[in-house]
Amino acid sequence: MDDDRYGSDVLSGDWRSRGVKKVRQVPLERDMVLEDPATGWAGAVVRLEAGNVELEDWKGRTRSFPFSGQFLLEGELVTLGRPQAPVGRRGVPGAAGPAGAATGTAAGRPGSAPAVRHASDGGRLRTASGSFAVEQQRARVALPSRIMVEGKHDAELVEKVWGADLRVEGVVVEELSGVDNLASVLDEFQPSRDRRVGVLVDHLVPGSKESRFADAVMRGKWGAHVLVVGHPFVDVWQSVKPSRLGLAAWPVIPRSIEWKKGICQALGWPHAEQADIARAWQRILGRVRTFADLEPQLLGRVEELIDFVTEPRG
């Protein structure tokens, strides 16, 4: 009789790993965006050297981490496998040009997401916005027209995704430091047919403060040469797809709580000081690789503004 009333030996086999979730291994690739879970440092892979992987954040700063460690990739904890193609370091784009010129090269500069080659496009480079990169071309002297955005975070996001395209066109992006300042900034700038202004506004929904400012400007004396567009999100943070942070959706924050602090609190991030908010934004921005990581409500509006300020004279 072979019946074993006590079952098999519980110590046989790999009993220690039972119930333990295995961490997936992924081959290391250049420009893969990783986050070190211990420090929160996020950046694109730029080099593998001496057992360390070097990550470059959106400001062009670099930091090295042990290749054998664990990283977050699109919110998933992974380990790294040997790369299937060489992972080297590109040459650093050219320094800033003369006053009045958009700085860097057309293919990108620190702050812009790197251009990427796709086999399906015959090996041609595409910028983070999805456009074909113009290689070996210096940025144009800045046009008299401008794109204006509400604040620093808006400007940094536009730079990261559309920076290479804007330098090709010679378009400068300026911060308003709040939509409340739009009217006075336009009075100082004095838009005209040759000096157009495109404005990107947060939370442009019916009945909002932003919509009232936008309507007043479009009806005012500069309206013929100004285009105000916006997205429906409370803040530009929400224009980053929540899946890039491992979320199903952005947390809903009560109106009684300052939105950015509420978001940080809901995600378990430090939020007591302004420096904490700045670090939170860097963490979010570090997750953005290309236009595909942004919501379409923002993508269409930025493209509309670029077309408006670069429209040839009739």
Side-chain angles (χ1 to χ4, degrees):
M1 182 173 178
D2 263 341
D3 186 19
D4 181 358
R5 63 182 294 188
Y6 296 107
S8 58
D9 182 358
V10 297
L11 298 181
S12 65
D14 189 11
W15 60 273
R16 292 183 180 84
S17 64
R18 290 176 186 170
V20 178
K21 184 178 179 180
K22 291 187 177 180
V23 177
R24 185 167 65 100
Q25 185 180 81
V26 297
L28 183 69
E29 296 179 7
R30 183 179 175 83
D31 298 326
M32 172 188 285
V33 177
L34 301 173
E35 178 181 340
D36 174 53
T39 64
W41 181 281
V45 173
V46 293
R47 185 188 307 189
L48 175 63
E49 186 174 41
N52 291 312
V53 58
E54 187 174 301
L55 305 181
E56 181 178 79
D57 73 1
W58 66 274
K59 286 187 174 180
R61 301 173 302 185
T62 58
R63 188 166 173 180
S64 295
F65 299 90
F67 174 78
S68 58
Q70 294 183 336
F71 298 86
L72 289 172
L73 174 65
E74 299 187 11
E76 177 190 0
L77 192 65
V78 300
T79 59
L80 301 177
R82 301 305 301 179
Q84 298 175 353
V87 178
R89 185 167 179 80
R90 283 193 198 93
V92 178
T103 58
T105 62
R109 70 177 183 91
S112 300
V116 178
R117 293 188 192 277
H118 296 274
S120 59
D121 297 323
R124 293 181 64 184
L125 279 171
R126 281 191 181 271
T127 68
S129 72
S131 303
F132 285 117
V134 181
E135 302 183 62
Q136 306 303 321
Q137 176 178 318
R138 296 293 298 175
R140 291 177 54 184
V141 173
L143 295 174
S145 298
R146 294 286 186 271
I147 289 177
M148 297 182 181
V149 298
E150 283 202 55
K152 181 180 179 181
H153 295 177
D154 307 79
E156 289 171 344
L157 184 59
V158 170
E159 163 61 28
K160 182 156 191 180
V161 176
W162 289 274
D165 306 307
L166 294 173
R167 279 182 287 283
V168 169
E169 299 292 346
V171 175
V172 173
V173 176
E174 296 184 359
E175 299 172 28
L176 286 169
S177 299
V179 70
D180 314 56
N181 299 318
L182 179 56
S184 59
V185 169
L186 292 177
D187 285 341
E188 182 179 352
F189 187 81
Q190 297 190 348
S192 66
R193 180 64 186 85
D194 298 322
R195 288 167 54 84
R196 290 182 160 203
V197 175
V199 185
L200 179 66
V201 176
D202 297 339
H203 200 223
L204 194 63
V205 296
S208 68
K209 174 190 73 173
E210 291 82 1
S211 68
R212 292 193 295 272
F213 277 109
D215 290 343
V217 165
M218 297 303 291
R219 292 195 308 266
K221 58 183 175 181
W222 309 119
H225 310 300
V226 175
L227 175 64
V228 181
V229 300
H231 55 74
F233 308 115
V234 175
D235 190 272
V236 76
W237 289 20
Q238 280 185 304
S239 68
V240 179
K241 291 181 178 178
S243 59
R244 292 298 299 137
L245 299 169
L247 304 172
W250 282 93
V252 177
I253 307 302
R255 291 189 178 185
S256 59
I257 299 176
E258 186 178 342
W259 191 83
K260 289 178 181 177
K261 288 188 175 182
I263 287 293
C264 293
Q265 186 176 16
L267 296 179
W269 298 349
H271 57 279
E273 302 177 355
Q274 186 57 38
D276 295 326
I277 305 302
R279 282 190 287 270
W281 169 240
Q282 291 178 16
R283 186 172 184 173
I284 295 167
L285 188 61
R287 295 291 192 179
V288 177
R289 304 158 301 180
T290 71
F291 72 96
D293 297 327
L294 303 180
E295 299 288 3
Q297 295 96 320
L298 175 70
L299 295 174
R301 303 294 74 74
V302 176
E303 298 289 348
E304 188 177 354
L305 291 179
I306 295 174
D307 290 343
F308 178 75
V309 299
T310 58
E311 181 183 345
R313 295 183 61 181

